Amino acid sequence: MLEQWTLVADFTHHAHTASLSAVAVNSRFVVTGSKDETIHIYDMKKKIEHGALVHHSGTITCLKFYGNRHLISGAEDGLICIWDAKKWECLKSIKAHKGQVTFLSIHPSGKLALSVGTDKTLRTWNLVEGRSAFIKNIKQNAHIVEWSPRGEQYVVIIQNKIDIYQLDTASISGTITNEKRISSVKFLSESVLAVAGDEEVIRFFDCDSLVCLCEFKAHENRVKDMFSFEIPEQHVIVTASSDGFIKMWKLEQDKKVPPSLLCEVNTKARLTCLGVWLDKVPDTKESFPPAAEPSPVSKEQSKIGKKEPGDTVYKEEKQSKPNTKKRSLAGDSKKATKESGLVSTKKRKMVEMLEKKRKKKKIKIMQ
C-alpha cells in the first residue's frame, strides 16, 4: 500500500515587490530571485527572512548554490555574481553574456560551470581560476543548461529541443524533441531525464537511446518547474504548475513505470518556480576547489573547446589590464562594493520609499 503524505504551509513571507523568477536551496538557507531585481535570503532553521542582496539590475533569472559556502546568481543585466554564502558578500561579478543570462549550471565537482544567454552562446567557466574558459556559438538562444549527476554529460535546451553533449568529446551525442516548449528538466539518474513543458504531461527520456520511457498527466495546466530528491527507500519528484498545485510523486525503480502520487496541495497561486529544502540533510560540498590546486579542468576545457562543423568555438578574449590579475572564486573579495552586500529588510524598504519620493518630486518639477 502506498504511503500518503501531507503538505502543510510552514512559512509564508511576502518580501518581493514583483513575481518570483528563481529559487535555490542549501542545507540552511532558501534564496529567491525576482523581477524586482533583488535576491532575498531566508533562514529555514529559524524561519525568518535573513536579508536581501542588491547587485543586479534586471530580473534575476537563475540562482544556484554550491554547497554551503557559495551562491551563484545570473540576471537580465548579463552578469554572473559569485556570493559568499556565509558573509553574504559579492566575491566576484562577471559580465558573462552580451545579452541576458538565462540559465547556469555548476558541475558536480565545483570546477566547471556552464551558462547560456540571449547572445546565442554557451559559455564554459573555470571556477578554480575564476575566469571564462570557452565560448561556443550555438546559433540560437538556449534557455536551460543542466549537468548530469556525475557530470559526464550535459543538456542544452532550445525551445522544445534537447541537445545532449558528452563532456569527454564536447559534441552532441543525440537530440530529443519534446512536443511543446520545455520549461524544466531534471536528471533522475545519469541517463534518465524528466522533461516538463507548456503542457500537462511529464515525460521520462533515456539519454542514451533517446527513447521516451514513459509519460503521465501530472497537472491540469502547464508544468512550470520540477525538483527531485532521495531519502531512505524513496526517490521523489516534486512538480509545480500554473494550475496552482504542488504535487509529490514516488518514482519507481523502473522508469518505464509512471510514478505514483504521494500528495498534492492547491496553493491558489500562479506558481513560477520551485525548490525543496530538506531538514537535517548534511551537505558534503562545502566550497569551490581552492585556486592553489593545479587546474583540473584543462583536459575537459580542451575538449569543450573542440570545433564542430557549423559551430563557432573560441577562447575568451583577454581582459583589459585592470582585470588581468587572477582571482579565485573561493577567496574573499577585498574590494566590497557598496551595493554588493547584505541589506536588511528595514533598510531596503526605506531606500525604496525614498526612491519613490524622489521620482514624485521629479515628476512635479517636470510639470
Side-chain angles (χ1 to χ4, degrees):
M1 189 177 171
L2 183 67
E3 181 188 356
Q4 289 297 310
W5 292 9
T6 307
L7 286 167
V8 179
D10 187 47
F11 173 72
T12 307
H13 193 74
H14 297 281
H16 291 283
T17 57
S19 61
L20 270 67
S21 49
V23 62
V25 180
N26 71 4
S27 61
R28 177 160 187 172
F29 294 101
V30 170
V31 293
T32 56
S34 167
K35 290 184 177 181
D36 66 9
E37 307 181 356
T38 65
I39 299 166
H40 287 249
I41 308 155
Y42 308 94
D43 187 328
M44 295 310 293
K45 296 282 187 184
K46 297 178 180 178
K47 298 288 192 298
I48 57 168
E49 185 181 9
H50 190 70
L53 303 173
V54 284
H55 185 88
H56 290 285
S57 56
T59 298
I60 311 300
T61 54
C62 43
L63 293 165
K64 298 286 178 182
F65 273 112
Y66 185 77
N68 288 323
R69 193 58 201 261
H70 291 97
L71 170 71
I72 303 186
S73 61
E76 285 184 349
D77 55 10
L79 295 179
I80 285 178
C81 295
I82 293 88
W83 303 88
D84 183 323
K86 298 285 185 187
K87 298 176 182 177
W88 297 110
E89 292 175 349
C90 183
L91 300 176
K92 199 172 182 76
S93 181
I94 306 162
K95 181 61 180 172
H97 287 267
K98 290 176 183 175
Q100 303 169 9
V101 179
T102 52
F103 212 87
L104 61 87
S105 183
I106 304 169
H107 190 270
S109 67
K111 297 167 185 174
L112 282 175
L114 295 169
S115 67
V116 289
T118 56
D119 55 1
K120 301 178 182 179
T121 63
L122 166 66
R123 303 194 180 217
T124 308
W125 303 94
N126 181 333
L127 297 181
V128 176
E129 297 180 12
R131 62 176 177 82
S132 173
F134 289 97
I135 304 172
K136 179 169 182 169
N137 184 352
I138 52 176
K139 297 182 179 178
Q140 294 179 75
N141 290 329
H143 62 284
I144 300 173
V145 61
E146 195 75 57
W147 287 102
S148 65
R150 291 204 300 265
E152 293 171 6
Q153 57 186 348
Y154 54 94
V155 293
V156 176
I157 318 296
I158 301 167
Q159 295 296 328
N160 66 328
K161 188 182 74 168
I162 306 165
D163 286 330
I164 303 160
Y165 289 78
Q166 299 302 316
L167 178 61
D168 58 355
T169 60
S171 59
I172 297 171
S173 61
T175 299
I176 294 167
T177 304
N178 196 49
E179 286 189 22
K180 298 282 182 74
R181 185 183 187 273
I182 295 162
S183 57
S184 179
V185 297
K186 284 292 173 288
F187 276 97
L188 304 179
S189 67
E190 188 63 22
S191 61
V192 178
L193 186 71
V195 178
D198 291 350
E199 56 187 331
E200 306 88 358
V201 173
I202 291 174
R203 296 181 180 88
F204 296 166
F205 287 96
D206 187 308
C207 293
D208 298 327
S209 65
L210 310 179
V211 170
C212 179
L213 300 174
C214 81
E215 64 174 69
F216 63 99
K217 184 180 177 181
H219 291 271
E220 295 301 322
N221 208 324
R222 66 183 66 177
V223 181
K224 293 295 289 183
D225 207 356
M226 297 185 292
F227 194 96
S228 73
F229 64 91
E230 289 184 63
I231 55 175
E233 298 179 10
Q234 298 264 32
H235 190 180
V236 178
I237 186 166
V238 189
T239 60
S241 167
S242 297
D243 64 12
F245 277 86
I246 295 172
K247 296 186 181 185
M248 303 183 82
W249 309 81
K250 182 186 177 183
L251 292 164
E252 303 298 332
Q253 201 157 2
D254 182 359
K255 297 303 182 288
K256 290 179 182 178
V257 179
S260 310
L261 184 65
L262 287 167
C263 61
E264 62 180 39
V265 64
N266 185 359
T267 64
K268 296 178 181 176
R270 190 184 174 113
L271 302 175
T272 55
C273 49
L274 173 76
V276 174
W277 179 74
L278 298 172
D279 197 6
K280 297 176 183 175
V281 175
D283 202 329
T284 53
K285 296 180 290 187
E286 230 355 90
S287 179
F288 290 128
E293 290 180 7
S295 174
V297 296
S298 55
K299 190 178 176 183
E300 286 92 334
Q301 284 171 357
S302 63
K303 288 170 181 174
I304 286 178
K306 187 179 175 183
K307 192 170 182 178
E308 296 177 37
D311 288 326
T312 306
V313 183
Y314 49 96
K315 221 173 182 179
E316 177 69 286
E317 290 176 13
K318 286 184 180 178
Q319 295 176 341
S320 55
K321 270 189 178 179
N323 296 322
T324 51
K325 190 177 178 183
K326 282 184 185 177
R327 215 160 126 209
S328 163
L329 301 188
D332 288 342
S333 170
K334 289 182 181 177
K335 292 182 181 178
T337 58
K338 195 168 117 182
E339 297 180 337
S340 300
L342 186 67
V343 178
S344 69
T345 310
K346 194 175 178 182
K347 186 178 177 183
R348 177 175 49 79
K349 286 178 180 175
M350 196 180 288
V351 170
E352 285 173 2
M353 191 173 69
L354 290 169
E355 185 67 18
K356 282 178 185 176
K357 284 182 180 178
R358 187 183 65 78
K359 284 179 182 176
K360 281 179 183 177
K361 280 182 183 178
K362 195 174 179 182
I363 290 164
K364 283 178 183 176
I365 292 164
M366 286 173 75
Q367 286 172 344

